[in-house]
Every structure is written in C-alpha cells, then in structure tokens.
Amino acid sequence: MRAFRLESPDRKASLCNIDIPVPVKGEIRVKIHACGLNFADLLMLKGEYQDTPATPFTLGMEVAGVVDAIGPDTSGPEVGTPVAVFGGQGGLAEYGCFPADRAVHLPDGMGFTDAAAFQIAYGTSHVALNYKAGLQPGETLLVLGAAGGVGLTAVEIGKVMGARVIACARGADKLEVAKQAGADHLIDAATEDIREVCKSLGGVDVVYDPVGGNQFKAAFRACRPEARILCIGFASGEVPQIPANHLLVKNLSVMGLYWGGYLNFRPKVVTDSLAVLLDWYSKGLIRPHVSHILPLEKAAGALDLLRTRKSTGKVVVTLD
C-alpha cells in the first residue's frame, strides 16, 4: 500500500510502498478514505512533538474510513462500519491499524472529509472551553489564531456556548473566515493592537491561545480579574514566560491543554466531549471548515500549506 512516511530523522518524509498492516488484539484495521492534517504533524517531522514516534513512522494523526478487519479476540465496530479514529500516527496511508476503543461511529450525514477534520480541532476547543475554562454565557472570549485549525473551532464553540467572541487573525481574508464562523469582533494581528482593542471592548474573561509569543503577552494584559488563559500551543515558535506576580494581582488562571493526553489518564473527558460535539454536528450547530483537499500523492504540498500558513481551518488529504 502507499504511505507517506518519515524513514529516519535525517531524511525528508516521502511517499513509499509498504505492506498492508495486520491488526493485533485490541485493534481494528481501517481502509482510510481521508486524513486530517494538524500543526503537530509539522512538529513530528522535526522531532519536536511531545508524542513523536520513533522512526520509521507514517504521518497523519486522525483519519476517517471504513473498518475492514478486526484483530483477534477484539470487540469493536463491525467490518463495514464507517468510523473516525484519532490514532496519533499512521493516517497518511491507504490502510491503518488503530486501537478499537478509539473508533467513533460516524453519525448519519457525516462524510469522510468532515470526519477527518473533526476530532482534534473540535475536541481540543470543547475540552478547553467547557471542561477546563468553564466558559459561561455572556462572557467574552478572545481567540488568537482564529482562522487556524483549532482557533476556528474555538470561535464556533464559543458562540454555541453563548459567549461574545473576539477573533484575532492576520489579514482580511482570514478575519472574514472567522466572521463567517460567528465572531462578534475582529482584530487584525498584523495591524492592530490586541490589548488596546480588547480593553476598548471591556476586557476578556477567557483567552484561547494556540499562538504564544507577543500575542499571548498582549492578551494577558487585556484580561479582566479572574480571567482564564488557555495555552493550546505555540505556533509563533515562542513559549511565553508568565509573570506570576501579575497572576496574583488579577487573580488569573493559566491552564495548559493537551487533548490527546486525556486519552491516557481520563479518557471519559474526551468521549463525553465528542458525544456532545457529534450531537451539535447532527443539529447543524457546527461544521468543519476545510480550505484544501488534496490527494495522497500531494501530501508534502498539503503539509506546506500548514507550514506557510496559507490554509484556513483544516487541510484534508484524501485516499479515494
């Protein structure tokens, strides 16, 4: 089968042919139809992600497809069932073996492209805003990187939860995407002062930050007393240093959120969240924004779209 793999740390990832995997106990094999890309895939290529597998490995963290085999003594979805799976790796291939207990049945009407773009982005934002920050109706939510893979879902979810949403992104095109997702106010990070705009709007109660760097610093200074700051990632490349004395003076809370980590120590947080999100999808309350769909042979180009920040929402690679 074809797979887009990193064979060793000193080589570039490339498309190659490998054997179709055979599921072992506890696994299902999925005939993959679509794979959603994430910023973490870029970090894996550089060996900088917290869960980077040992080489060689196949890239692609989340997939959608059809179960085509089940491992021995394994309870799982039946062969022929359409599923989405967060596997952490192995998605950019024609087939993949994944833990059976991570398979999520697709609701009626959900296609493979939406399913492959769904779990990580929406899951991260919902667990962050609901479980960690306890976002309340009427509160003000500032979303940095608001046109990106996770940021755009935070805008959508914030609106569903009843918040006033301030979306921050670079350039008119990206801000328009955030506006279409429901943002109430827009900040162009390339030309406007994030702190001053937020202060003019009365300050913020929750900050959703997948960017870090100077944007974190500006958002930090725009917080109301008892605000909650969610550190989702550091796309800017700069991990901010937090002045603890300022936390004390304003009674602020800074929270880290690594969605995949909950699968290891509290999986019910993830499964409960996904149940809510899939219900919202079925009701038409949320819908993935996929800016680019490319075939497997263009996987390198698909990753470049993330690297160069030319995409909005999600990039999906198809294998049909």
Side-chain angles (χ1 to χ4, degrees):
M1 69 173 187
R2 296 177 302 155
F4 189 77
R5 290 169 65 79
L6 184 65
E7 294 292 337
S8 64
D10 59 342
R11 295 174 62 182
K12 288 186 176 181
S14 61
L15 192 62
C16 54
N17 284 301
I18 61 173
D19 292 336
I20 295 176
V22 177
V24 299
K25 183 178 180 180
E27 291 185 336
I28 56 171
R29 185 172 68 202
V30 177
K31 185 182 189 313
I32 298 170
H33 288 264
C35 175
L37 299 186
N38 294 274
F39 188 77
D41 291 305
L42 300 179
L43 297 179
M44 282 189 187
L45 286 172
K46 297 187 290 185
E48 296 176 357
Y49 190 58
Q50 57 263 30
D51 280 340
T52 299
T55 55
F57 69 91
T58 298
L59 288 149
M61 301 178 70
E62 56 182 334
V63 304
V66 176
V67 177
D68 98 313
I70 301 175
D73 302 318
T74 297
S75 297
E78 297 179 355
V79 170
T81 303
V83 295
V85 185
F86 167 73
Q89 59 170 304
L92 287 173
E94 293 178 303
Y95 294 86
C97 291
F98 307 103
D101 59 4
R102 291 195 183 179
V104 176
H105 292 235
L106 302 190
D108 292 342
M110 177 178 263
F112 293 125
T113 298
D114 276 4
F118 195 83
Q119 288 196 74
I120 293 176
Y122 281 108
T124 295
S125 294
H126 186 253
V127 171
L129 295 174
N130 182 64
Y131 179 78
K132 294 287 284 188
L135 179 67
Q136 298 298 307
E139 288 192 314
T140 297
L141 166 66
L142 169 63
V143 180
L144 304 179
V150 291
L152 198 57
T153 63
V155 173
E156 281 189 277
I157 289 172
K159 289 304 297 179
V160 173
M161 294 179 68
R164 179 179 68 154
V165 178
I166 305 171
C168 179
R170 289 185 178 274
D173 290 346
K174 291 187 175 181
L175 288 171
E176 179 60 28
V177 172
K179 181 180 179 180
Q180 293 300 318
D184 299 290
H185 303 279
L186 305 173
I187 301 175
D188 190 333
T191 60
E192 296 183 271
D193 186 313
I194 295 171
R195 175 177 179 266
E196 289 303 317
V197 175
C198 289
K199 295 287 278 187
S200 72
L201 294 170
V204 299
D205 300 297
V206 176
V207 176
Y208 183 97
D209 179 19
V211 177
N214 289 330
Q215 291 193 31
F216 174 92
K217 296 172 187 175
F220 187 95
R221 297 175 67 194
C223 285
R224 293 172 176 165
E226 292 196 319
R228 292 86 76 200
I229 303 171
L230 293 156
C231 294
I232 307 299
F234 311 103
S236 67
E238 180 185 342
V239 178
Q241 303 302 303
I242 300 168
N245 58 320
H246 291 187
L247 297 179
L248 182 152
V249 170
K250 280 192 173 182
N251 290 290
L252 303 180
S253 299
V254 179
M255 311 172 188
L257 191 284
Y258 168 41
W259 179 79
Y262 279 98
L263 292 168
N264 298 321
F265 69 91
R266 194 167 292 168
K268 192 173 186 297
V269 170
V270 171
T271 55
D272 287 353
S273 171
L274 285 174
V276 171
L277 290 167
L278 289 169
D279 179 62
W280 286 356
Y281 179 91
S282 296
K283 292 175 179 176
L285 297 175
I286 55 176
R287 193 70 66 198
H289 172 86
V290 179
S291 65
H292 295 81
I293 302 172
L294 291 90
L296 181 61
E297 54 266 27
K298 294 187 178 180
L303 288 164
D304 278 339
L305 290 169
L306 295 184
R307 185 180 292 108
T308 58
R309 294 173 168 78
K310 292 180 179 178
S311 60
T312 53
K314 296 285 285 190
V315 175
V316 171
V317 171
T318 57
L319 295 103
D320 293 330

